[in-house]
Amino acid sequence: MTDHADEPVEDHDDADVRGAGPRELDPQTRARRERAMRLVRSFGDPVLRSRAVVVDRVDDALREEIARLGQVMLDSLGIGLAAPQVGIPHRVLVYRVTADSPVIGLVNPAIEWAGAEAEVQEEGCLSLPGVALEVARPIHVRVRALDGAGQEVVIEASGLEARVIQHEVDHLDGVLILDRVSREARKDAMRAMREAELERETTAA
């Protein structure tokens, strides 16, 4: 998920939840982000529409996977990333909603409760570059998962944290923000993606 918010990590550009417009990055950060973005699967890749597989063992290999996923998220200036977005079909996600917070990895996350109160906020997605959509989601959720040590954790999340978790759990179920909006908004988003792709091709030519 991308950061377009006023409160989370401040240097995100096209991050995985809420959408601030592009901003100038120093050359080193931009190069690092471009390398990371080459690892992120884009709209049209079938892995983004597949339901991820439940992880049956938390071991060193999985912990390395979580660490790599977290690094891609940070380098791409995202605030959340799900394993399928880098082509790994596991039910694993990572997120960090503030610059001074540690990266949190969740294995087999399940939203076991969502509050009745919802709000609409703009979300972006690393797999949908150039797209920002107004998405309605519950403000409060309770999530049960395993951590990187294989211990069960229960997270009571609100606001941006709740939104990021819901966005990434959607990825684990093959759901994109395009599926959470009206047909008209989806058509506009598809047009924006086509225009962004044409612009990238023109720039590269």
Side-chain angles (χ1 to χ4, degrees):
M1 181 161 156
T2 64
D3 164 31
H4 304 300
D6 32 89
E7 48 194 315
V9 186
E10 295 180 352
D11 53 355
H12 297 336
D13 172 358
D14 211 9
D16 208 41
V17 180
R18 294 186 345 206
R23 59 190 72 175
E24 287 301 316
L25 301 173
D26 65 79
Q28 184 177 11
T29 301
R30 182 168 295 280
R32 187 168 64 246
R33 183 175 191 272
E34 289 174 354
R35 286 194 299 271
M37 288 299 294
R38 286 196 285 271
L39 301 174
V40 177
R41 304 297 178 92
S42 297
F43 179 73
D45 192 308
V47 73
L48 296 176
R49 288 304 194 179
S50 302
R51 186 175 177 83
V53 178
V54 172
V55 174
D56 58 10
R57 182 171 62 181
V58 178
D59 54 14
D60 288 343
L62 185 69
R63 282 184 280 275
E64 289 177 10
E65 180 181 308
I66 293 171
R68 288 196 304 272
L69 196 62
Q71 193 60 57
V72 172
M73 178 191 73
L74 295 177
D75 289 348
S76 61
L77 307 182
I79 57 175
L81 192 67
Q85 289 181 273
V86 294
I88 300 172
H90 293 161
R91 296 191 73 79
V92 176
L93 64 84
V94 295
Y95 71 95
R96 184 183 77 162
V97 295
T98 61
D100 57 354
S101 300
V103 174
I104 296 173
L106 299 181
V107 179
N108 300 334
I111 298 173
E112 61 179 22
W113 173 84
E117 186 180 1
E119 68 178 353
V120 176
Q121 294 283 353
E122 190 176 73
E123 294 186 18
C125 180
L126 292 171
S127 294
L128 302 171
V131 171
L133 296 170
E134 298 284 334
V135 180
R137 295 193 190 271
I139 298 174
H140 309 287
V141 297
R142 181 169 61 244
V143 182
R144 191 176 298 273
L146 299 178
D147 63 15
Q151 300 299 308
E152 185 174 80
V153 294
V154 177
I155 297 173
E156 303 271 357
S158 299
L160 180 60
E161 183 181 19
R163 181 169 293 273
V164 174
I165 291 172
Q166 291 173 84
H167 179 110
E168 303 310 334
V169 169
D170 270 357
H171 275 302
L172 302 182
D173 294 330
V175 176
L176 302 174
I177 54 175
L178 293 171
D179 306 315
R180 297 285 185 188
V181 298
S182 69
R183 178 180 298 181
E184 192 60 35
R186 187 161 54 248
K187 285 170 60 179
D188 289 344
M190 298 292 286
R191 184 163 52 249
M193 281 191 287
R194 286 194 296 270
E195 290 172 354
E197 181 61 28
L198 283 172
E199 185 177 341
R200 283 194 294 272
E201 290 174 357
T202 301
T203 303

